[in-house]
Amino acid sequence: MEKMVETIEWIEDDAGGHVVMIDQRVLPHQQVFVECRTYEEVADAIQTMVIRGAPAIGVAAAMGVALGVQQGADFDTVCKTLAATRPTAVNLFWGIERMRRLMAGLQGRSSEEILREMIAEAKQVRVEDIALCRAIGTHGAPLVPDGKTVLTHCNAGALATAGYGTALGVIRAAVEAGKKIDVFADETRPFLQGARLTAWELQQDGIPTTLITDNMAGHFLRSGRIGCVVVGADRIAANGDVANKIGTYSVAVLAKENDVPFYVAAPVSTFDLTLESGDQIPIEQRPATEVTHVFGVPVAPENIAVQNPAFDVTPARYVTAIICEHGVARAPYQESLAALASKTSRATV
Amino acid sequence: MEKMVETIEWIEDDAGGHVVMIDQRVLPHQQVFVECRTYEEVADAIQTMVIRGAPAIGVAAAMGVALGVQQGADFDTVCKTLAATRPTAVNLFWGIERMRRLMAGLQGRSSEEILREMIAEAKQVRVEDIALCRAIGTHGAPLVPDGKTVLTHCNAGALATAGYGTALGVIRAAVEAGKKIDVFADETRPFLQGARLTAWELQQDGIPTTLITDNMAGHFLRSGRIGCVVVGADRIAANGDVANKIGTYSVAVLAKENDVPFYVAAPVSTFDLTLESGDQIPIEQRPATEVTHVFGVPVAPENIAVQNPAFDVTPARYVTAIICEHGVARAPYQESLAALASKTSRATV
């Protein structure tokens, strides 16, 4: 159960270091690595989805800030450029804010010392992310019904994080605990994270996985074979509303309609307790070509209008539980999420 | 509002006639016509989805039987071969049965006369189908809320019928009646009938149409902009359960959850009142490559397991009304469907 490729790494070099990411746009048929030597290149990689997945974006943002410091670029410009790449996943802003707080504490130090600290912090964000995913797996595994199928949407796996995954971390931990489960992976149009990334990741791990199109999820939820749904999240509001990959809301409604538990697995860095509800979460619109073309092949008439919201919001009433590194939150989320989030604060102080 | 290509036609020739279909596998980027001179070629065209859509398949089946008679093939073999192509759409069996009944009534006639009658009947099935779609449109148009968006799934349009369409017939009739509506078309993976066929058909007609991926339907149903959903059907059981393209069930549940009316538009030939409920409708499994490849381009890892049910069943409780050529059926469907179906019987006796 080792992952085959690293999602993102900081590589030391003569200039200090650079960032290497696996290009998630061309997986699984091509394994191409993208090297970023500037914060602008990291920003571009986030925006064009070379790297995607809320926790992975958080790591990339932290490393991007470190690169900006290494370049000697204006710190505010670095932070603003990275923050402008994608609007929905709050981990992006969390990663930048963490670096900004450190920077504020380093005032008066030498530039060498500042750079050393910033790089160390960015690497630490990555290491912590893997540990958080393991903890999410530990808390989530007991919730997975034995002998049934787990349905997941998009990719909340090793590739969406620094490693191990959130939703797929729960699945991996359930398998490691000896549960006999298999997985149904929604292909997740338009970017096909399920078909290209989740199916591939789980196949590497030898976890029995069946690929379905997104519109089949309801049919199988109705069939009785799905024991639970586990997905990741891009931002979770204080009331437990969850922004996640487009289609998540549909799966959640269909799960509830068929009495199948619907679990969200995400680190506390995905919580945005400043937002009362999911209605306040900005939803990114992606380019139309993601819908009209598949790997460059046109699948629709020319000049057709397209909507391409990359995320949707699942109201908390459809969410059975939210699994984070500190435990499992259930309704009322206003209280349970705040309690779990405060555990972090204490641990990191 | 004329359709640009004919879905299927009987062309007279020296041998008697042959069938021409537009190849729906390569639309809209290629307009290729397939000529069938034998019933085996028609069977192959149905099975490989050169032609698809329940009413269109019914027409193709009738024409296939006529070709078989023209070939002088064994009549039972002709009917059985055509009946074995696809299991779900009952219109296929209805078309064959209609030809079989005619054949039974022609016993003792000359082979020339029999062939002439069979060809005339097959052509009549096609002509009637267009008229049925117009009538469905007339009954359905008043149900479409003015000034809102209509959501449809798959293609229940001119290409799914001999012309005009069932679900798209309702939309066309609403537009002809002066309603200011626009359409959201689910792309409908894996075969992409929505992206390739519905978007193209409506674009030709100048009806404002927006393409979305299947997993976006819930998001937009929740948004309040969708005034109603209209879809076609492949088989409707006596209790009102509806088999239709995979994903229809999900749309129906999401419509109900958001208080959006969900309409099914289909001719009486789609009713199968011999079945008590939708649980008895056979669901076709299509090849895995439809899911793993898009126009030949692989979108998933090799050797991944796939499920590819081509249809699902929407329980009657999610169906606001069923629109057929004789009127609008509402719950309890056991009575309303039987009443509308008996109107046909009287009309055709």
Side-chain angles (χ1 to χ4, degrees):
Chain A
M1 294 239 201
E2 290 308 307
K3 59 188 295 244
M4 311 308 282
V5 294
E6 294 294 335
T7 305
I8 181 167
E9 283 186 293
W10 180 276
I11 305 292
E12 311 283 340
D13 62 23
D14 292 345
H18 63 276
V19 178
V20 177
M21 309 170 184
I22 179 93
D23 188 344
Q24 301 198 27
R25 299 170 303 180
V26 296
L27 280 173
H29 294 290
Q30 292 179 65
Q31 292 191 20
V32 176
F33 290 86
V34 173
E35 294 190 357
C36 300
R37 293 174 191 279
T38 66
Y39 76 90
E40 294 97 330
E41 286 171 353
V42 171
D44 188 62
I46 294 171
Q47 190 157 40
T48 60
M49 294 172 73
V50 168
I51 191 165
R52 31 60 55 195
I57 287 175
V59 176
M63 290 187 177
V65 172
L67 275 181
V69 172
Q70 181 174 292
Q71 290 168 253
D74 175 67
F75 192 73
D76 268 351
T77 304
V78 169
C79 293
K80 278 181 188 158
T81 303
L82 287 162
T85 51
R86 299 194 70 190
T88 305
V90 75
N91 313 62
L92 176 76
F93 311 105
W94 168 90
I96 295 166
E97 187 53 32
R98 179 161 163 172
M99 298 298 279
R100 197 191 274 279
R101 274 202 310 272
L102 175 64
M103 185 59 131
L106 293 172
Q107 280 201 325
R109 308 282 189 94
S110 72
S111 57
E112 288 77 14
E113 199 176 349
I114 289 174
L115 177 59
R116 196 166 57 241
E117 290 288 330
M118 296 297 279
I119 291 174
E121 185 78 356
K123 291 168 74 172
Q124 176 65 15
V125 171
R126 176 179 171 278
V127 169
E128 282 176 17
D129 190 60
I130 302 173
L132 297 180
C133 288
R134 291 269 174 188
I136 289 170
T138 302
H139 291 299
L143 300 175
V144 176
D146 202 358
K148 302 273 278 183
T149 299
V150 179
L151 174 67
T152 190
H153 186 71
C154 195
N155 173 268
L159 289 162
T161 60
Y164 201 69
T166 52
L168 297 196
V170 170
I171 289 169
R172 288 187 163 103
V175 170
E176 287 166 14
K179 291 193 174 174
K180 299 274 175 266
I181 56 173
D182 73 322
V183 177
F184 269 35
D186 288 351
E187 67 173 1
T188 318
R189 281 279 288 148
F191 201 67
L192 295 164
Q193 292 94 332
R196 298 188 301 104
L197 309 179
T198 295
W200 181 68
E201 264 197 56
L202 295 175
Q203 193 182 48
Q204 306 282 317
D205 276 4
I207 298 174
T209 302
T210 300
L211 177 63
I212 60 173
T213 61
D214 300 304
N215 57 19
M216 295 175 190
H219 174 72
F220 288 109
L221 282 162
R222 184 169 172 247
S223 76
R225 74 171 288 168
I226 310 291
C228 72
V229 179
V230 189
V231 298
D234 288 84
R235 196 186 296 215
I236 301 174
N239 70 343
D241 289 355
V242 174
N244 191 45
K245 180 51 52 194
I246 187 73
T248 301
Y249 163 69
S250 296
V251 175
V253 169
L254 288 156
K256 182 159 198 177
E257 188 76 3
N258 290 285
D259 297 319
V260 175
F262 179 88
Y263 298 116
V264 174
V268 169
S269 56
T270 308
F271 298 4
D272 185 353
L273 305 186
T274 68
L275 301 185
E276 275 178 42
S277 88
D279 298 340
Q280 299 165 268
I281 299 174
I283 299 296
E284 177 183 12
Q285 284 281 339
R286 301 275 310 168
T289 49
E290 288 185 357
V291 173
T292 56
H293 291 67
V294 176
F295 282 108
V297 178
V299 297
E302 283 178 34
N303 302 318
I304 193 77
V306 167
Q307 286 267 2
N308 187 14
F311 304 93
D312 59 25
V313 172
T314 300
R317 65 180 177 279
Y318 301 106
V319 179
T320 310
I322 295 172
I323 307 156
C324 74
E325 65 270 33
H326 295 300
V328 176
R330 293 183 187 266
Y333 289 106
Q334 195 76 38
E335 295 150 36
S336 60
L337 291 180
L340 289 173
S342 72
K343 277 200 196 180
T344 328
S345 308
R346 255 176 271 131
T348 55
V349 164
Chain B
M1 293 236 202
E2 291 308 307
K3 59 188 296 244
M4 310 309 283
V5 296
E6 294 293 335
T7 306
I8 181 167
E9 283 187 291
W10 180 275
I11 306 293
E12 311 283 340
D13 63 21
D14 292 346
H18 63 276
V19 178
V20 177
M21 309 170 185
I22 179 92
D23 188 343
Q24 301 198 27
R25 299 170 303 180
V26 296
L27 281 173
H29 293 290
Q30 292 180 64
Q31 293 192 21
V32 175
F33 291 86
V34 173
E35 295 190 355
C36 299
R37 294 173 190 279
T38 65
Y39 75 89
E40 294 98 329
E41 286 171 352
V42 171
D44 189 60
I46 295 171
Q47 190 156 42
T48 59
M49 294 171 71
V50 168
I51 191 165
R52 33 61 53 198
I57 287 175
V59 177
M63 291 188 177
V65 172
L67 275 182
V69 172
Q70 179 174 292
Q71 289 167 256
D74 176 66
F75 191 73
D76 268 350
T77 305
V78 170
C79 294
K80 279 181 188 157
T81 302
L82 287 162
T85 51
R86 300 193 70 189
T88 305
V90 75
N91 313 61
L92 177 77
F93 311 106
W94 169 90
I96 296 167
E97 187 53 32
R98 179 162 163 171
M99 297 299 279
R100 196 192 274 281
R101 274 203 310 273
L102 175 65
M103 185 59 131
L106 293 172
Q107 277 201 328
R109 308 283 188 94
S110 72
S111 58
E112 288 78 13
E113 200 176 348
I114 290 174
L115 178 57
R116 197 167 53 241
E117 291 286 331
M118 296 297 278
I119 291 174
E121 184 78 355
K123 290 167 74 173
Q124 177 64 15
V125 170
R126 177 178 170 280
V127 169
E128 282 176 17
D129 190 60
I130 301 174
L132 297 180
C133 287
R134 289 268 174 191
I136 289 170
T138 301
H139 291 299
L143 300 176
V144 176
D146 201 0
K148 302 273 279 183
T149 300
V150 179
L151 174 68
T152 190
H153 186 71
C154 196
N155 174 268
L159 290 163
T161 61
Y164 202 68
T166 52
L168 296 197
V170 170
I171 289 168
R172 289 188 163 102
V175 170
E176 287 165 15
K179 291 194 174 176
K180 300 272 173 267
I181 56 172
D182 71 321
V183 177
F184 269 36
D186 287 351
E187 67 172 2
T188 318
R189 281 278 289 148
F191 201 66
L192 295 164
Q193 292 95 332
R196 298 189 302 104
L197 309 179
T198 295
W200 181 68
E201 264 196 55
L202 295 176
Q203 194 182 48
Q204 305 283 317
D205 276 5
I207 298 174
T209 301
T210 300
L211 176 64
I212 59 172
T213 61
D214 300 305
N215 57 19
M216 293 173 191
H219 174 71
F220 288 110
L221 282 162
R222 184 170 172 247
S223 77
R225 73 171 287 167
I226 310 290
C228 71
V229 180
V230 189
V231 298
D234 288 84
R235 198 186 294 217
I236 301 173
N239 70 344
D241 289 356
V242 174
N244 191 46
K245 179 54 50 195
I246 188 72
T248 302
Y249 162 70
S250 296
V251 175
V253 169
L254 288 156
K256 181 159 199 176
E257 188 77 3
N258 291 285
D259 296 319
V260 175
F262 179 87
Y263 298 116
V264 174
V268 170
S269 57
T270 308
F271 297 3
D272 185 353
L273 305 186
T274 68
L275 302 185
E276 276 179 41
S277 88
D279 297 342
Q280 297 165 270
I281 299 174
I283 300 296
E284 176 183 13
Q285 284 280 339
R286 301 275 312 167
T289 49
E290 288 186 356
V291 174
T292 56
H293 291 67
V294 175
F295 282 107
V297 178
V299 297
E302 283 178 33
N303 303 316
I304 193 76
V306 167
Q307 287 267 2
N308 187 12
F311 305 94
D312 59 27
V313 173
T314 301
R317 67 180 175 278
Y318 301 106
V319 179
T320 309
I322 296 172
I323 307 156
C324 74
E325 65 271 33
H326 295 300
V328 176
R330 293 183 186 266
Y333 289 105
Q334 194 77 40
E335 295 150 33
S336 59
L337 291 180
L340 289 174
S342 71
K343 279 200 196 180
T344 327
S345 307
R346 256 178 269 133
T348 56
V349 164

